[in-house]
Coordinates of all heavy atoms in Angstrom, one line a residue:
Q126 N 35.7 204.1 187.8 CA 36.4 205.4 187.5 C 37.9 205.1 187.7 O 38.4 204.1 188.1 CB 36.0 206.5 188.6 CG 36.5 206.2 190.0 CD 35.7 205.2 190.7 OE1 34.5 204.9 190.3 NE2 36.2 204.6 191.8
V127 N 38.7 206.1 187.3 CA 40.2 206.0 187.3 C 40.6 205.7 188.8 O 40.1 206.4 189.7 CB 40.9 207.2 186.8 CG1 42.4 207.2 187.0 CG2 40.6 207.4 185.3
S128 N 41.5 204.7 189.0 CA 42.0 204.4 190.3 C 42.7 205.6 190.9 O 43.4 206.3 190.2 CB 42.9 203.2 190.2 OG 43.6 202.9 191.4
T129 N 42.6 205.7 192.2 CA 43.3 206.8 192.9 C 44.8 206.7 192.7 O 45.5 207.7 192.7 CB 42.9 206.9 194.4 OG1 43.2 205.6 194.9 CG2 41.5 207.3 194.5
R130 N 45.3 205.5 192.6 CA 46.8 205.4 192.4 C 47.2 205.7 191.0 O 48.4 205.8 190.8 CB 47.2 204.0 192.8 CG 46.7 202.9 191.9 CD 47.0 201.5 192.5 NE 46.8 200.5 191.5 CZ 47.7 199.7 191.1 NH1 48.9 199.7 191.6 NH2 47.4 198.8 190.2
R131 N 46.3 206.0 190.1 CA 46.7 206.3 188.7 C 46.1 207.7 188.4 O 46.1 208.1 187.2 CB 46.1 205.3 187.7 CG 46.6 203.9 187.8 CD 48.1 203.9 187.4 NE 48.6 202.5 187.3 CZ 48.7 201.9 186.1 NH1 48.4 202.4 185.0 NH2 49.2 200.7 186.1
Y132 N 45.6 208.5 189.3 CA 44.9 209.7 189.1 C 45.7 210.9 188.7 O 45.4 211.7 188.0 CB 44.0 210.0 190.3 CG 43.1 211.2 190.2 CD1 41.9 211.1 189.5 CD2 43.4 212.4 190.8 CE1 41.1 212.2 189.4 CE2 42.6 213.5 190.7 CZ 41.4 213.4 190.0 OH 40.6 214.4 189.9
F133 N 46.9 210.9 189.3 CA 47.8 212.1 189.1 C 48.8 211.8 187.9 O 49.9 211.3 188.1 CB 48.6 212.4 190.4 CG 47.6 212.9 191.4 CD1 47.2 212.0 192.4 CD2 47.1 214.2 191.4 CE1 46.3 212.4 193.4 CE2 46.2 214.6 192.4 CZ 45.8 213.7 193.4
C134 N 48.3 212.1 186.7 CA 48.9 211.7 185.4 C 50.4 212.0 185.3 O 51.2 211.2 184.8 CB 48.1 212.3 184.3 SG 46.4 212.0 184.4
M135 N 50.7 213.2 185.8 CA 52.1 213.7 185.5 C 53.1 213.1 186.5 O 54.3 213.6 186.5 CB 52.1 215.2 185.5 CG 51.5 215.7 184.2 SD 51.2 217.4 184.1 CE 49.4 217.5 184.3
Q136 N 52.7 212.1 187.3 CA 53.7 211.4 188.0 C 54.5 210.4 187.1 O 55.6 210.1 187.3 CB 53.1 210.6 189.2 CG 52.6 211.5 190.3 CD 52.0 210.6 191.4 OE1 51.3 209.7 191.2 NE2 52.4 210.9 192.6
C137 N 53.8 210.0 186.0 CA 54.4 209.1 185.1 C 54.5 209.7 183.7 O 55.5 209.4 183.0 CB 53.6 207.8 185.0 SG 53.5 206.9 186.6
H138 N 53.6 210.4 183.2 CA 53.5 211.0 181.9 C 54.1 212.4 181.9 O 53.8 213.2 182.8 CB 52.1 211.0 181.3 CG 51.4 209.7 181.4 ND1 51.6 208.8 180.4 CD2 50.6 209.1 182.2 CE1 50.9 207.7 180.6 NE2 50.3 207.9 181.8
V139 N 55.0 212.7 181.0 CA 55.7 214.0 181.0 C 55.5 214.7 179.6 O 55.5 214.0 178.6 CB 57.2 213.9 181.3 CG1 57.4 213.4 182.7 CG2 57.9 212.9 180.4
S140 N 55.5 216.0 179.7 CA 55.5 216.8 178.4 C 57.0 216.8 177.9 O 57.9 216.5 178.6 CB 55.2 218.2 178.7 OG 53.9 218.3 179.2
Q141 N 57.1 217.1 176.6 CA 58.4 217.1 176.0 C 58.8 218.6 175.7 O 58.0 219.4 175.5 CB 58.3 216.4 174.6 CG 58.0 214.9 174.8 CD 59.1 214.2 175.7 OE1 60.2 214.0 175.2 NE2 58.7 213.9 176.9
E142 N 60.1 218.8 175.7 CA 60.7 220.1 175.5 C 61.6 220.0 174.4 O 62.4 219.0 174.2 CB 61.4 220.5 176.8 CG 62.0 221.9 176.8 CD 60.9 222.9 177.1 OE1 59.9 222.6 177.8 OE2 61.0 224.0 176.6
N143 N 61.6 221.0 173.5 CA 62.6 221.0 172.4 C 63.9 221.6 172.9 O 64.2 222.7 172.7 CB 62.1 221.9 171.2 CG 61.0 221.2 170.4 OD1 61.1 220.0 170.2 ND2 60.0 221.9 169.9
A144 N 64.6 220.8 173.6 CA 65.9 221.2 174.2 C 67.0 220.4 173.7 O 66.9 219.2 173.4 CB 65.8 221.0 175.8
R145 N 68.2 221.0 173.6 CA 69.4 220.3 173.2 C 69.8 219.4 174.3 O 69.8 219.7 175.5 CB 70.5 221.3 172.9 CG 71.7 220.7 172.3 CD 72.7 221.8 172.0 NE 73.1 222.7 173.1 CZ 73.9 222.4 174.1 NH1 74.6 221.3 174.0 NH2 74.2 223.2 175.1
P146 N 70.1 218.1 174.0 CA 70.5 217.1 175.0 C 71.8 217.6 175.7 O 72.7 218.1 175.1 CB 70.7 215.8 174.3 CG 70.0 216.0 173.0 CD 70.0 217.5 172.7
I147 N 71.8 217.4 177.0 CA 73.0 217.7 177.8 C 74.1 216.7 177.5 O 75.3 217.0 177.4 CB 72.7 217.7 179.3 CG1 71.7 218.9 179.5 CG2 74.0 217.9 180.1 CD1 71.2 218.9 180.9
V148 N 73.7 215.4 177.3 CA 74.7 214.3 177.0 C 74.2 213.7 175.7 O 73.0 213.5 175.5 CB 74.6 213.3 178.2 CG1 75.5 212.1 177.9 CG2 75.1 214.0 179.5
N149 N 75.1 213.3 174.9 CA 74.8 212.7 173.6 C 74.2 211.3 173.9 O 74.7 210.5 174.8 CB 76.1 212.5 172.8 CG 75.7 211.9 171.4 OD1 74.6 212.1 170.9 ND2 76.7 211.3 170.8
N150 N 73.0 211.0 173.3 CA 72.3 209.8 173.6 C 72.4 208.9 172.4 O 72.0 209.2 171.3 CB 70.8 210.2 173.9 CG 70.0 208.9 174.2 OD1 70.5 207.8 174.3 ND2 68.7 209.2 174.4
T151 N 72.9 207.7 172.6 CA 73.1 206.7 171.5 C 72.1 205.5 171.8 O 72.3 204.5 171.2 CB 74.5 206.2 171.4 OG1 74.9 205.6 172.7 CG2 75.5 207.3 171.1
F152 N 71.1 205.7 172.6 CA 70.2 204.6 172.9 C 69.5 204.2 171.6 O 69.1 204.9 170.8 CB 69.1 205.1 173.9 CG 68.1 204.1 174.2 CD1 68.3 203.1 175.1 CD2 66.9 204.1 173.5 CE1 67.3 202.1 175.4 CE2 65.9 203.2 173.8 CZ 66.1 202.2 174.7
Q153 N 69.3 202.8 171.5 CA 68.5 202.2 170.4 C 67.5 201.3 171.1 O 67.9 200.4 171.9 CB 69.4 201.4 169.5 CG 70.4 202.3 168.8 CD 71.3 201.5 167.9 OE1 71.4 200.3 168.0 NE2 72.1 202.1 167.0
D154 N 66.3 201.4 170.6 CA 65.3 200.5 171.2 C 65.5 199.1 170.7 O 66.2 198.9 169.7 CB 63.8 201.0 170.9 CG 63.5 201.0 169.5 OD1 63.4 200.0 168.8 OD2 63.4 202.2 168.9
V155 N 64.9 198.1 171.3 CA 65.2 196.7 171.0 C 64.7 196.4 169.6 O 65.4 195.6 168.9 CB 64.5 195.8 172.0 CG1 63.0 195.8 171.9 CG2 65.1 194.3 171.9
D156 N 63.6 197.0 169.1 CA 63.2 196.7 167.7 C 64.2 197.2 166.7 O 64.5 196.5 165.7 CB 61.8 197.4 167.5 CG 60.7 196.8 168.3 OD1 60.8 195.6 168.6 OD2 59.8 197.6 168.7
T157 N 64.8 198.3 166.9 CA 65.9 198.8 166.0 C 67.1 197.9 166.0 O 67.6 197.6 164.9 CB 66.3 200.2 166.4 OG1 65.1 201.1 166.4 CG2 67.4 200.8 165.5
V158 N 67.5 197.4 167.2 CA 68.7 196.5 167.3 C 68.4 195.2 166.5 O 69.2 194.7 165.8 CB 69.0 196.3 168.8 CG1 70.1 195.2 168.9 CG2 69.4 197.5 169.4

Side-chain angles (χ1 to χ4, degrees):
Q126 70 282 341
V127 172
S128 171
T129 54
R130 65 191 192 118
R131 297 289 189 103
Y132 185 77
F133 296 99
C134 309
M135 287 171 255
Q136 287 181 317
C137 298
H138 304 278
V139 295
S140 298
Q141 296 301 286
E142 186 77 29
N143 283 325
R145 187 177 54 83
I147 296 171
V148 176
N149 188 25
N150 183 0
T151 60
F152 175 82
Q153 295 177 349
D154 63 71
V155 69
D156 294 326
T157 302
V158 172

